Amino acid sequence: MDLRLHACAYSFHTLPFKTSFTPPPYYLFRLQVTGSSKALVHGKIVRLDAGDLLIIRPGEPYHLSVEEIDGRISSGDYYLLCEGAWMDAWFAARHRPTLQRIHLDAGMLSLWQQLSVEQHRVVGAQPELIRHLLCALCLSLDRLSVEESSLEAPKRSNEMVMRMQLYISENALSPLRVEDVAAFAGLSVSRAVHLFKDLTGYTIIGYAQEIRLSNALERIRYTDFSLESIASSCGFGTYSYFHKVFKARFGFTPREIRSRHAEPDHDAASLRLKDLSGMSPDALRFLTLRGDRETTDEWME
């Protein structure tokens, strides 16, 4: 199967953010899960809300910004970069608008999260599993698109899990209680715990921890905040606990990742960052060398 995944992750922003790829050499998928953002669609800047799916094909410009909307800055999304003959055939099989609204199905979100977990796995990576998960995700998006257009009502259990995921995504970096998550979905704690685990494969706290670790990894790599400050701001009570779960998740300590990212050898660093970020060397090279900051600033003015 000719299908390659170059990057897959969950991103959550509470500060202004801009990015611009002109043009991306891969298919780029981005699903707004919580909050709002703005993107360029057919030459116009449009607002993206929960359920809005962008699919940018190779050669099309991609511009995104997260800024204050309705008095707050908050945006959570899944994204991925991929390519290959299978993806070309899937894309050509039907009309695919650049922007469409889909139902945030819990099963589909679980697939996307599992794909991200496998792409970031440092030890025991399984490329075949990643390819099949990506195929399953694409086919799930097709099904959800059909369901949305036919106004098929989602199951109540999916709606409840979606509400819990929304609450967790928006509150993961603060102290989080399972009781509050359950109350937000209108469920008992027992029902919420079992339903969330059954439909996502994660415990409520485990799902929140994935978001916390993802945010911590980005801050370690791209800010000069102290590691202790990052641990605290990402919802970890103590640095010792953060150190323990971070190393268990990524196979490296926070300090090792920061020191490796600071090394000047870009080619070697790209190979190491593949394991740390879930991005292929080609994707890292593109994202690092694209040199489009001036373009980004221009279209946002």
Side-chain angles (χ1 to χ4, degrees):
M1 182 190 304
D2 181 21
L3 181 61
R4 295 174 296 284
L5 180 66
H6 290 285
C8 182
Y10 178 83
S11 177
F12 187 73
H13 300 280
T14 56
L15 296 174
F17 172 80
K18 298 179 184 179
T19 189
S20 174
F21 306 156
T22 310
Y26 317 113
Y27 290 96
L28 188 152
F29 290 49
R30 183 187 183 277
L31 176 64
Q32 190 79 34
V33 179
T34 65
S36 302
S37 61
K38 293 183 178 181
L40 181 68
V41 179
H42 302 309
K44 297 181 179 180
I45 302 300
V46 301
R47 171 172 168 167
L48 306 181
D49 293 309
D52 284 336
L53 173 67
L54 278 174
I55 301 180
I56 308 295
R57 62 183 178 182
E60 291 184 345
Y62 171 69
H63 306 294
L64 176 81
S65 74
V66 176
E67 58 191 66
E68 183 173 324
I69 298 177
D70 297 336
R72 63 183 302 194
I73 300 174
S74 177
S75 175
D77 67 272
Y78 281 108
Y79 68 89
L80 62 85
L81 299 171
C82 61
E83 65 174 330
W86 189 94
M87 187 58 60
D88 293 336
W90 175 82
F91 190 87
R94 57 189 292 184
H95 171 66
R96 302 192 185 280
T98 301
L99 175 63
Q100 60 180 302
R101 173 67 60 87
I102 67 171
H103 168 53
L104 289 178
D105 176 78
M108 178 272 295
L109 292 175
S110 180
L111 265 177
W112 209 318
Q113 184 174 24
Q114 186 60 35
L115 185 61
S116 176
V117 169
E118 294 299 330
Q119 181 73 357
H120 285 76
R121 194 178 296 280
V122 175
V123 179
Q126 300 183 49
E128 190 69 16
L129 175 59
I130 289 174
R131 286 192 289 269
H132 282 86
L133 284 171
L134 181 53
C135 288
L137 176 61
C138 290
L139 296 175
S140 294
L141 293 175
D142 280 346
R143 176 177 56 81
L144 292 171
S145 179
V146 170
E147 288 180 351
E148 180 71 14
S149 62
S150 63
L151 301 181
E152 179 179 327
K155 294 181 179 179
R156 177 173 171 78
S157 59
N158 282 349
E159 292 180 339
M160 296 302 100
V161 170
M162 285 161 46
R163 285 183 61 81
M164 287 188 281
Q165 288 176 316
L166 171 64
Y167 184 88
I168 296 169
S169 296
E170 293 185 343
N171 295 277
L173 304 190
S174 303
L176 186 74
R177 300 194 315 153
V178 173
E179 292 86 346
D180 294 334
V181 177
F184 186 78
L187 300 171
S188 68
V189 171
S190 176
R191 175 60 176 158
V193 167
H194 286 92
L195 184 62
F196 196 91
K197 175 69 173 178
D198 288 345
L199 292 188
T200 70
Y202 289 87
T203 64
I204 289 174
I205 298 302
Y207 184 80
Q209 185 156 287
E210 283 294 319
I211 295 174
R212 290 169 176 169
L213 287 171
S214 176
N215 276 267
L217 178 61
E218 294 301 303
R219 295 181 189 191
I220 289 171
R221 290 170 57 198
Y222 299 122
T223 76
D224 58 0
F225 297 147
S226 71
L227 298 178
E228 292 77 10
S229 174
I230 290 173
S232 177
S233 65
C234 289
F236 294 95
T238 65
Y239 180 76
S240 60
Y241 176 67
F242 169 63
H243 182 280
K244 177 182 177 181
V245 297
F246 192 95
K247 185 173 183 180
R249 174 66 175 80
F250 296 110
F252 295 89
T253 67
R255 196 170 304 281
E256 287 172 334
I257 287 187
R258 171 158 281 178
S259 63
R260 288 172 183 268
H261 187 62
E263 293 178 7
D265 183 353
H266 294 296
D267 290 337
S270 291
L271 293 175
R272 283 187 289 270
L273 285 173
K274 175 186 177 184
D275 292 332
L276 305 182
S277 70
M279 289 190 180
S280 71
D282 287 342
L284 282 164
R285 191 173 300 111
F286 163 66
L287 295 175
T288 302
L289 303 179
R290 63 183 184 270
D292 57 358
R293 182 56 55 192
E294 291 183 0
T295 303
T296 305
D297 293 339
E298 288 175 1
W299 77 268
M300 287 304 300
E301 288 178 355

